[in-house]
Amino acid sequence: MMSVRSACRRLAIALCLAGMALSGAALGADEKALVTYSRETWTTRDGLPHNQVNGIAQTPEGYLWFATWEGLVRYNGQEFRTFGRREIPQIEDNGLRSVSAGASGHLVIATSRGGVSILRNEVWSTYGKKDGLAQDETMAAIEDRDGNVWVAHESEGISRIDPHGKVTLIDDTKGLSSGIVYAVFADNSGAIWAGTGDGLARIEGDRVQAFGKAQGLPLGAVFSIVQSREGSLYVGTEHGVYRGMGGRFVPLAADFPDEAVASLRVDAADAIWIGTVNRGLMRYSGRGLEVLDTTMGLPNNRVPSLFIDREGNVWAGTNAGLVRLADTPFVSYDRQLGLSDDYVRAVLQAHDGSMLIGTSQGLDRWHEETITPVGAAAGLSGDAILSLAEDRDGSIWIGLYSKGLIHWKDGAVVSQQTTFGKMWASQIRALLVAKDGSLWVGSARGLAHVKGDQTTIYSRADGLPRNFIVSLYQARDGRIWIGTANGLAYFADDRITAVDIAPLEGAQDVFGMHEDADGTMWFATDRGLVRWREGALSIVSQRNGLPVVTLFQVITDSYDNFWLTSNSGVINVRRNDVEAVLSGSTTQLPTVTFAEADGMGSAQCNGGSGPAALRARDGSLWVATAKGVAVIQPDQLSKYQMAPPPVVIEGVRVDGRPIPPRSHIVMPPGTRKLELDYVSLSYRTPEQIQYRYRLEGFDKHWVDREQLRNAQYTNLPPGEYRFQVAAGRAGKWSQEIATQVFEIEPLLYQRAWFLPLAGLLLASVLYSLYRSRVRALEARERELSTIVTQRTRALSEKNDQLEHLNQTIRRQSEAFERQARTDALTGLANRRAMDERLARAFDVAVASNRPLCFGLVDIDHFKRINDGFSHEAGDQALRTVADVLAHEVGYDNAARWGGEEFALLFPDADFDDACARAERLRAAIAAIDSTLFAPGLQITVSIGIAARGDLGHRERMISRADQKLYEAKRAGRNRVVG
């Protein structure tokens, strides 16, 4: 007998799916049921500091902000960042009751005990009791279009803070019906509405007007206020939602429950979103009143905050976590919507238009948005349904996992067969009713053909590639195509002919089939999409741009484009693009992948049974997944094609040191590494956003970064640069480009005046020496007449002294030159010397077309060596690592790059040889015995290797090696990545 809770849950689902009639309103054809919206939940496990979200806002650049009991949280679509008293001293309390963004874009937060804090132009200011605010706790705060901040208090009314900081208190002595104020709201006209403990108040200038029972409101408190675009005011009270117009209020709906409403929002379609205190989330629209509560996936039934962002996502803050709801391309039907089980293996459209859904627990029917279990009383539950087929008389053939084949008609089992001759009917994975009315049954043990009273069994002995049958299809020419777990075959002229697909990148499993009008066959295999046309085979695979290796099903939409199912979602590709790849006119296939963020309950589609995907008569596509059946209407895809998102630069680090953001950054001479972090503030499908950047003055073209949100540059020459980054989705790039301008100041010897001045000084010195020499010769000449021999000897001595001086100057010059190119601590070449050697090696490699590799080495956790042992131990570790480098690659090919980083040069070494030498080097360093200077220390390094390849400049090699070093460290350190 069904429990009361189960019955209530099914009633709620039925109301949500069927909808309730709205007086005078028509149901939009594309308006989806609330429970079919995509849902994603975040809690403290995902980065929130507290599970209760009291307020939500979005600032002009696109960040989402959440008010929690443990601080203010900023979300960029990828991660949460918490701001509390420690990060922002101006915030005097971590307990936040509300957050809002005013018309000016300023962020306003109301803290439980710390008054109100406002973020204006990156500067925080706080107003509290010392500034004249009321003495009790704040409940909410907003900024109006004139820059006034309105603060709701727990018992002392409302405070107004003007743009100059003057505070004015409005309480029950000035017209408020109660000093208890829960909410403040600025309407379209600029008037302020306050939800109090005893009704509603409207404030305009110094005039306060109260609204209560006489105006149609119920007795009690008002917790939330919102206004629609046409001007209707919606009020959340202790006893439901009321709609106001012209100073009068009426219940939103006659059948609205007597329930306290904590939060309200109105979406772009004028649907009312309602967060209740005890009954979860509701929506009132053309479908009537719909409910989403804990029985349908909501973390908690108390919803204190609601928000609708610029992309139309609905955010609900509950007592147990944050939820995002989105109207997505896919709708998923699962157990929460009435399926007997989430794991769906087969779908079939019956002759009456209803959809039969085979799950791991039985058979369900979907009809007009209502799901009902069928066949449980007839014995169809308790075993996984693997395959479905409809016979010509409307009866259904059902293949089970372990109980054979069932013939089902008019709600009853007509027959059940567990054997076909000597073949045990286990795992009936494929069924086909042929054009002649016979039945083909594919099992894990072979293929059966049932025609009248005669049954024929086919196995490997009859030509099947394998006995494990996973798919069946009858083509227009009458052939029965047979997909197995080890190859493809077809039945024609009373015999089976195998089709060898192994040459197509080793393809084996054939999970799904599709036929074009001209007889071309398409097969979804474990190596990609295979085409069979007039006996010729070809394949589109991962090397052509498919995001996955294995495909389960191939179906086409009304426009004859392909939809491919996989373990990583549903992939949409245009037929023209597929044909272009197969004809050789292009090598890469553009694809669009749909997954959980697009409304699929699970991106894991099912295969090996079926039909696991189909196109319904109305053009919709149905896909069996590990969490329900996912449905999409391709005709409505344009509705969900969002503009490419903008991007913001979140952080800049110079030599590992973060610097404050500003429009123009000047970096000191000798800057070695520049890192920039960026993100697109999109919340619908952030994992599908791609990035590209370029550095004007360095990069000639855009650099594609896929989903990576970091750019690094090392050893940039002095000068001014402009960094640009853009985000894109599905191959379309946003025109809104984020820009960061920075300048690297030159070293003394890199300045433009240095060489001319040095030349002038040298010429002056030489000239001075010359003049001195001339004067000496003239003096000597006057004395030659009497002491020729003596002066000649003196002149010779002077010449010897001068030569000695020149040699001394030359030796000192050579010593200075060596010092300028040698690292004093390790004895290795320094970064300047290595850069010159790399430049010469790169030019030689390009001119002679010889290989060249470059590597960067970083000592893992070097700071821990200095902190845990000593700086002397750290210096010894650097010298020891340098000795190993010199021994392994030679002094001429190793250099200290800076800090704990070293550089390696591999002239005439190809990529594999360089990686192998780097691996030997890594192992040698890991084997260093540190007992003498740091007992217990094991030194490890991470190494990034880059090959010259087609890189046009040595700096690109350095950048590539640095990127690979970053990947090695991110992958766990103590490894070589190339």
Side-chain angles (χ1 to χ4, degrees), residues 689-692 703-709 733:
I689 295 174
Q690 297 178 319
Y691 299 92
R692 64 179 184 179
V703 178
D704 291 328
R705 291 290 284 172
E706 296 182 351
Q707 281 76 40
L708 295 178
R709 298 185 293 110
W733 295 96

Side-chain angles (χ1 to χ4, degrees), residues 171-183:
D171 55 16
D172 50 7
T173 66
K174 296 183 180 180
L176 287 182
S177 57
S178 170
I180 302 173
V181 182
Y182 295 104

Side-chain angles (χ1 to χ4, degrees), residues 43 89 173 241 407 412 421 443 542 665 722 805 822 828:
T43 66
T173 66
V241 180
H407 191 197
S443 76
Q542 196 171 37
I665 298 174
R722 181 183 299 271
L805 176 63
T822 303
L828 294 179

Side-chain angles (χ1 to χ4, degrees), residues 261-281:
V261 174
S263 53
L264 287 171
R265 287 288 172 179
V266 180
D267 66 19
D270 286 332
I272 314 302
W273 293 80
I274 305 162
T276 72
V277 172
N278 298 299
R279 301 196 188 190
L281 177 64

Side-chain angles (χ1 to χ4, degrees), residues 223 237 259-262 275-280 300-304 319:
F223 299 116
T237 75
E259 170 64 27
V261 174
T276 72
V277 172
N278 298 299
R279 301 196 188 190
N300 187 273
N301 280 339
R302 185 169 186 268
V303 185
N319 273 23

Side-chain angles (χ1 to χ4, degrees), residues 85-104:
R85 296 181 63 188
R86 183 175 60 183
E87 293 80 11
I88 305 174
Q90 294 87 345
I91 299 179
E92 298 178 356
D93 183 24
N94 281 348
L96 270 60
R97 291 188 180 272
S98 78
V99 60
S100 63
S104 62

